[in-house]
Amino acid sequence: MPIGRPKAPLKLTIEERNELVNYRRRRKTSHGLATRAAVVLACAEGLDNQSVATRLGLSKATVGK
């Protein structure tokens, strides 16, 4: 049984998803913004925070923030 609050499903529109993918790909995007975009995209796939943290090499606290 999961511990903590249940995580609401994250649904992105096609436009939102495209914009986040563009943030990840652009060279001029700041590192922080690109990382946040990657976290949101991974969460939209339905992954839990621990899986996202492992995939992106981040701490679980960073993903949860």
PDB file of all heavy atoms in Angstrom, residues 14-15 30 39:
ATOM      1  N   ILE A  14      -2.105  18.177 -25.971  1.00  0.00           N
ATOM      2  CA  ILE A  14      -1.056  18.017 -26.979  1.00  0.00           C
ATOM      3  C   ILE A  14      -0.177  19.256 -27.024  1.00  0.00           C
ATOM      4  O   ILE A  14       1.050  19.153 -27.114  1.00  0.00           O
ATOM      5  CB  ILE A  14      -1.680  17.721 -28.359  1.00  0.00           C
ATOM      6  CG1 ILE A  14      -2.354  16.351 -28.328  1.00  0.00           C
ATOM      7  CG2 ILE A  14      -0.629  17.777 -29.459  1.00  0.00           C
ATOM      8  CD1 ILE A  14      -3.187  16.044 -29.550  1.00  0.00           C
ATOM      9  N   GLU A  15      -0.793  20.426 -26.907  1.00  0.00           N
ATOM     10  CA  GLU A  15      -0.021  21.680 -26.937  1.00  0.00           C
ATOM     11  C   GLU A  15       0.914  21.782 -25.736  1.00  0.00           C
ATOM     12  O   GLU A  15       2.072  22.185 -25.867  1.00  0.00           O
ATOM     13  CB  GLU A  15      -0.959  22.895 -26.969  1.00  0.00           C
ATOM     14  CG  GLU A  15      -1.773  23.033 -28.236  1.00  0.00           C
ATOM     15  CD  GLU A  15      -3.036  22.162 -28.229  1.00  0.00           C
ATOM     16  OE1 GLU A  15      -3.467  21.687 -27.154  1.00  0.00           O
ATOM     17  OE2 GLU A  15      -3.594  21.961 -29.312  1.00  0.00           O
ATOM     18  N   SER A  30      17.117  27.193 -19.777  1.00  0.00           N
ATOM     19  CA  SER A  30      17.923  27.018 -18.571  1.00  0.00           C
ATOM     20  C   SER A  30      17.834  25.561 -18.104  1.00  0.00           C
ATOM     21  O   SER A  30      16.850  24.858 -18.362  1.00  0.00           O
ATOM     22  CB  SER A  30      17.446  27.952 -17.462  1.00  0.00           C
ATOM     23  OG  SER A  30      16.196  27.529 -16.970  1.00  0.00           O
ATOM     24  N   VAL A  39      10.552  16.356 -15.596  1.00  0.00           N
ATOM     25  CA  VAL A  39       9.808  15.781 -14.473  1.00  0.00           C
ATOM     26  C   VAL A  39       8.309  15.744 -14.797  1.00  0.00           C
ATOM     27  O   VAL A  39       7.643  14.734 -14.594  1.00  0.00           O
ATOM     28  CB  VAL A  39      10.077  16.573 -13.173  1.00  0.00           C
ATOM     29  CG1 VAL A  39       9.107  16.170 -12.074  1.00  0.00           C
ATOM     30  CG2 VAL A  39      11.511  16.382 -12.710  1.00  0.00           C
TER      31      VAL A  39
END
